[in-house]
Amino acid sequence: TLNNLGSLARDVGQFDQALTYYQKASSLKTHLQAPALARVENGLGEALFGLGRHQEALNQFIKANTIWTVSVKNEDKVRTQYN
């Protein structure tokens, strides 16, 4: 999947490529359920952080956390906020 490809690119330090994959995944947001969308938004934040775009990364992390907080069960919130 696009999110997994983004994660792999991020893990090997290819943050530009990771950002591209996460952006493509994010463009499908109308088809994603909250947990998947939050993971994509979090991935965008990680890629942006890796590129040194820290303020944009922070905004993405806040967005991901908001999606989880509003939409996901309590036990999943704890796991996500731990990340």
Side-chain angles (χ1 to χ4, degrees):
T1 67
L2 292 168
N3 194 55
N4 289 338
L5 289 168
S7 296
L8 179 60
R10 181 203 65 224
D11 289 348
V12 298
Q14 296 176 354
F15 299 111
D16 284 326
Q17 187 64 47
L19 185 60
T20 298
Y21 283 124
Y22 288 130
Q23 287 171 330
K24 287 179 182 178
S26 182
S27 73
L28 303 172
K29 67 179 85 182
T30 57
H31 304 289
L32 298 175
Q33 294 182 0
L37 180 55
R39 284 190 292 275
V40 168
E41 299 297 341
N42 190 69
L44 279 166
E46 290 176 353
L48 289 164
F49 189 85
L51 291 169
R53 295 164 58 180
H54 298 136
Q55 186 59 52
E56 290 173 85
L58 176 60
N59 293 340
Q60 286 303 133
F61 293 140
I62 291 169
K63 189 174 183 179
N65 189 57
T66 299
I67 293 167
W68 277 94
T69 301
V70 170
S71 304
V72 181
K73 297 177 186 174
N74 286 332
E75 59 270 13
D76 290 332
K77 285 183 200 176
V78 172
R79 183 174 54 224
T80 300
Q81 291 174 346
Y82 173 76
N83 286 334

